[in-house]
Amino acid sequence: MPQDLHDELAVFPGTGGRNATRVVHDGPQPASGTRQEGEQSGKRRSGLGRGLSDLIPTEESDSVPTHLQPESGQRPTVSVVAITETSDAVLVEVEDSTGKRVSVPIVGEAVESAVIEATLALLTIDDPPSVRIDDLATEDGDLVVAVVKRGPDRAAGAVFVECERPFAIARAVFLAIQDL
């Protein structure tokens, strides 16, 4: 037996029967393809009227930024350099933009050596080249220059020190090795 709930909704404070949708239990169902009151169409909104569902990323493959997609044709780069301490050792961790991560223990005070070693390990360099790090003061800021040599071949990478020196060293070595 169909029951009209309209009168029961009027009992709730603030509704007063206004703006209440008429609900009929066991009543006729709308035809497929028709929209009921309050239902949104399949059309996507843009601008300030965008809904929350438009702002939440989906689990699609293109939700990963282009520069982090390995098949995007861009060369990987250093994305993280961290100095971490465990109960056993102090480590330098270097991660590239593809998510590959390498950890190397710091021996003594040799943070720079550990950063270089971790960067070479990240690039899976079996025959490590000689690496020299030079610092340059420019009008635009401090610059770390990494010069790598293997036999007659040589390459250089230069990166401005934006925050801390270990990150700049790792990026400069990473760039130089890729050009070797």
Side-chain angles (χ1 to χ4, degrees):
M1 167 172 137
Q3 179 182 5
D4 189 357
L5 298 177
H6 186 267
D7 295 332
E8 292 180 23
L9 286 174
V11 175
F12 290 103
T15 62
R18 291 178 276 117
N19 296 329
T21 304
R22 186 166 206 167
V23 179
V24 178
H25 183 65
D26 289 330
Q29 299 295 320
S32 65
T34 61
R35 217 173 38 155
Q36 290 185 336
E37 185 180 336
E39 222 177 68
Q40 291 189 10
S41 69
K43 223 163 107 174
R44 293 180 62 98
R45 295 179 286 170
S46 64
L48 294 175
R50 291 176 22 185
L52 186 58
S53 63
D54 294 338
L55 300 174
I56 298 174
T58 60
E59 295 297 324
E60 298 171 7
S61 62
D62 64 341
S63 65
V64 175
T66 305
H67 69 283
L68 295 178
Q69 293 177 7
E71 65 274 353
S72 68
Q74 296 182 1
R75 293 184 349 179
T77 186
V78 172
S79 60
V80 175
V81 174
I83 298 175
T84 59
E85 185 175 352
T86 67
S87 60
D88 299 327
V90 178
L91 305 168
V92 168
E93 294 181 347
V94 179
E95 183 177 330
D96 68 8
S97 56
T98 65
K100 185 178 175 186
R101 178 178 283 230
V102 173
S103 297
V104 171
I106 298 174
V107 179
E109 300 287 321
V111 173
E112 184 176 303
S113 298
V115 169
I116 293 169
E117 185 181 342
T119 305
L120 294 174
L122 185 66
L123 291 164
T124 58
I125 303 295
D126 295 331
D127 181 24
S130 67
V131 178
R132 188 181 79 234
I133 303 294
D134 293 317
D135 294 304
L136 230 60
T138 70
E139 289 180 14
D140 295 322
D142 293 333
L143 192 66
V144 170
V145 179
V147 178
V148 295
K149 291 182 183 177
R150 183 183 299 131
D153 298 326
R154 65 183 182 189
V159 175
F160 281 105
V161 178
E162 298 294 337
C163 187
E164 293 294 328
R165 195 164 178 272
F167 187 70
I169 291 171
R171 289 189 60 216
V173 170
F174 199 90
L175 290 170
I177 292 292
Q178 288 180 329
D179 289 339
L180 187 60

